[in-house]
Amino acid sequence: MAASTPTLPAGAPPAFHLLAKPTGATCNLDCAYCFFLSKEMLYPGSRFRMADELLEEYIRQLIEGHRVPEVAVAWQGGEPTLMGIDFFERSIAYVEKYRKPGMQVMYSIQTNGTLIDDAWAAFFKRHDFLVGISIDGPQAMHDAYRVDKGGQPTFDKVMRGLRVLQAHGVEYNTLTTLHHANADHPVEVYRFLRDECASNFIQFIPIIERVPETAIDLVDTPVVAAEPGQVSTAPWSSWRDRPLYKQEGALVTDRSLRPEQYGDFLNGVFDEWVRRDVGRVYVQMFDVALANWAGEPPGLCVHSKTCGLALAIEHNGDLYACDHFVEPDYRLGNILESPMIELVASPQQVKFGQDKFDTLPNFCRACDVRFACHGGCPKDRFLTTPDGEPGLNYLCAGFKRFFHHIDEPMRIMAGLLRQQRAPAEIMRWAHERDRRQAAAFAAAGRNDPCPCGSGKKFKHCHGR
Ligand code: SF4
Ligand code: SF4
């Protein structure tokens, strides 16, 4: 039974973002780190396919819930292409049925790319889809964890899908997860995405796999303490059967990105980008940072003051607070029973978004880069601060390393924006700084302080 159209509830946002998972967690791959696979356990016995009745209801309510002229219809998984082209053709027919006069609908899909062929690419082109391709870098780094159900590598299939998209002129971007196998190679990963994939919109997502102490015997890889000082190992068993749909515990798998690695990775990419690619290649994290330095809305929930307007809908119509909180405690309701907009505007969801700020530890409130960081995503806030307060982000050390590293160029770019000049002018500054530093290195004595500002003697730093 479809939920009836509501009058808009008080405080309903004019727009929100919803990631739809028509296959639930079902995927044709078996990426070692995928947190969605265990979510199949939320729906035992399900076929994990969005029914046609729900599809129509979803599109209708999504459009009716928006009071802006642009609506995003975003598909994700699992692997959404498992639904087949007909499913998406029907979704477009429903959009046409309910679209309001003048409303623009933007389609996007996040896919592992392995099933993309000419028919898919022609469909994406026909309907102006933006296609997000998940790829973790050059072959060895990608294949380290992104394997199929038989454990076979997937790099060649992904690249084949990408080439088909390119041949059809489909708009695409790349999403790269950061983990043990690629995080120490920022320049190699970035150049691969820029040059081999010709991606000019690049997203990086940290892999942080938490493991409860009670479940370490179910994990298929060693685990390490999230906070330094303690290391434990676990026997191997079936990771896919783990009862881990709740995010708990102070251990992380050894596949997980370490905080400092995250900072060093972003710094490495930034140093390449700021010298040659500003204005040409869009790296999401850098754009978000620039917006925060410029005092503009950052456009990414993770580094915004509050969140709660990026929700997820499962294959059966269950609506969750966020794609990263598809857990029983964060289920808001089902859109076949309660109108979507009432769930989006519900006190539970408003509190979820406000908690991002309200639960910030004092350590964050006093932090010099809080304006850029905002404590990161609440799902990763499972460390204690140096003064013993809970709720510090696991990635804090990496955030600090990165935000301090980019402070000067970000100030300059924000200044350029204020003068209505192009941030790309920063590249001249970067080259001039390089030239001055090279001259200072050439003039430095072995026992002089290193001109890079590390505080070390030149002979122990760049003069080594
Ligand atoms: S919980 Fe994290 S990912 Fe979800 S909306 Fe909030 S900041 Fe974004
Ligand atoms: S850098 Fe660390 S202390 Fe500062 S706001 Fe971010 S998480 Fe909090």
Side-chain angles (χ1 to χ4, degrees):
M1 172 64 85
S4 58
T5 305
T7 46
L8 286 175
F16 52 94
H17 195 267
L18 199 47
L19 274 178
K21 300 167 175 299
T23 64
T26 308
C27 186
N28 59 327
L29 303 191
D30 198 9
C31 302
Y33 50 63
C34 182
F35 69 102
F36 285 121
L37 293 177
S38 70
K39 308 228 173 187
E40 288 178 3
M41 299 181 68
L42 281 172
Y43 298 101
S46 170
R47 285 182 61 241
F48 292 104
R49 292 185 74 80
M50 185 178 274
D52 203 55
E53 179 205 26
L54 174 62
L55 173 62
E56 178 168 6
E57 206 39 39
Y58 160 59
I59 297 290
R60 183 182 70 80
Q61 294 195 36
L62 182 71
I63 288 175
E64 285 179 353
H66 276 73
R67 281 172 287 141
V68 293
E70 289 173 355
V71 178
V73 176
W75 301 101
Q76 213 212 30
E79 176 49 43
T81 58
L82 288 174
M83 292 299 289
I85 293 176
D86 284 353
F87 172 85
F88 292 97
E89 290 280 17
R90 287 197 300 280
S91 75
I92 285 161
Y94 291 134
V95 167
E96 294 310 320
K97 181 173 172 184
Y98 293 109
R99 185 201 292 266
K100 299 176 194 169
M103 178 174 264
Q104 196 189 350
V105 178
M106 294 158 304
Y107 299 106
S108 65
I109 187 167
Q110 186 64 39
T111 170
N112 60 43
T114 58
L115 300 176
I116 292 176
D117 57 11
D118 282 318
W120 273 111
F123 167 80
F124 291 143
K125 181 69 184 170
R126 201 158 55 245
H127 297 291
D128 283 333
F129 267 65
L130 172 61
V131 180
I133 293 284
S134 301
I135 187 161
D136 283 1
Q139 185 151 19
M141 298 182 209
H142 176 90
D143 285 339
Y145 301 126
R146 296 192 70 84
V147 294
D148 65 18
K149 299 285 191 207
Q152 295 304 306
T154 61
F155 179 84
D156 289 339
K157 288 182 182 161
V158 179
M159 289 306 285
R160 195 177 57 217
L162 184 66
R163 298 292 178 235
V164 176
L165 292 179
Q166 290 170 334
H168 283 259
V170 175
E171 198 185 339
Y172 65 90
N173 59 34
T174 51
L175 186 154
T176 300
T177 59
L178 300 179
H179 44 65
H180 181 71
N182 63 6
D184 287 335
H185 308 281
V187 175
E188 202 177 339
V189 170
Y190 175 68
R191 287 181 181 167
F192 168 79
L193 296 171
R194 182 191 65 198
D195 302 336
E196 301 296 318
C197 299
S199 175
N200 52 20
F201 183 111
I202 294 172
Q203 287 181 75
F204 296 115
I205 306 275
I207 290 291
I208 304 166
E209 292 182 293
R210 286 176 75 183
V211 182
E213 283 78 351
T214 51
I216 55 174
D217 59 331
L218 296 173
V219 180
D220 68 350
T221 188
V223 295
V224 298
E227 296 186 74
Q230 177 203 349
V231 176
S232 51
T233 55
W236 289 48
S237 180
S238 175
W239 175 250
R240 294 203 61 229
D241 292 340
R242 63 195 163 168
L244 294 179
Y245 52 76
K246 279 184 94 163
Q247 300 166 77
E248 294 174 336
L251 303 169
V252 294
T253 64
D254 68 348
R255 289 186 286 256
S256 300
L257 184 69
R258 302 300 289 173
E260 296 79 4
Q261 251 183 334
Y262 187 44
D264 290 343
F265 181 92
L266 292 174
N267 290 351
V269 174
F270 184 85
D271 289 347
E272 168 95 353
W273 175 83
V274 80
R275 285 173 172 79
R276 52 167 291 171
D277 294 327
V278 183
R280 197 169 71 89
V281 179
Y282 175 99
V283 180
Q284 184 191 41
M285 188 66 171
F286 304 160
D287 242 60
V288 166
L290 179 56
N292 273 328
W293 253 270
E296 301 289 336
L300 178 70
C301 52
V302 172
H303 295 298
S304 298
K305 185 174 172 184
T306 59
C307 67
L309 290 177
L311 302 91
I313 184 164
E314 266 290 347
H315 63 289
N316 67 343
D318 282 354
L319 196 71
Y320 289 89
C322 162
D323 184 34
H324 291 284
F325 282 90
V326 178
E327 300 178 9
D329 292 349
Y330 296 91
R331 180 182 173 277
L332 298 166
N334 188 293
I335 66 159
L336 295 178
E337 294 157 4
S338 311
M340 178 191 292
I341 191 64
E342 286 184 7
L343 300 175
V344 171
S346 65
Q348 181 183 348
Q349 182 63 6
V350 171
K351 181 174 185 313
F352 175 85
Q354 187 60 37
D355 275 353
K356 185 175 190 292
F357 175 73
D358 290 347
T359 63
L360 263 190
N362 288 322
F363 188 71
C364 288
R365 290 175 194 271
C367 172
D368 62 340
V369 290
R370 175 164 65 94
F371 71 94
C373 177
H374 292 293
C377 176
K379 89 175 163 60
D380 300 327
R381 293 182 185 172
F382 54 92
L383 300 189
T384 44
T385 65
D387 47 359
E389 204 179 346
L392 182 64
N393 198 297
Y394 167 79
L395 291 172
C396 174
F399 289 150
K400 284 197 169 168
R401 202 172 275 200
F402 171 60
F403 290 131
H404 286 145
H405 180 76
I406 63 172
D407 180 55
E408 189 178 2
M410 281 293 161
R411 281 175 198 263
I412 294 170
M413 280 191 279
L416 289 167
L417 279 176
R418 273 194 295 276
Q419 296 166 41
Q420 302 196 334
R421 290 163 60 189
E425 290 183 37
I426 190 71
M427 291 187 285
R428 276 211 301 273
W429 168 88
H431 287 296
E432 176 58 22
R433 188 182 62 171
D434 286 350
R435 195 193 58 72
R436 279 200 311 270
Q437 203 168 52
F441 286 152
R446 282 173 50 75
N447 290 313
D448 289 345
C450 187
C452 79
S454 66
K456 296 180 195 164
K457 285 189 176 176
F458 183 57
K459 67 183 178 188
H460 296 311
C461 192
H462 283 83
R464 217 174 1 211

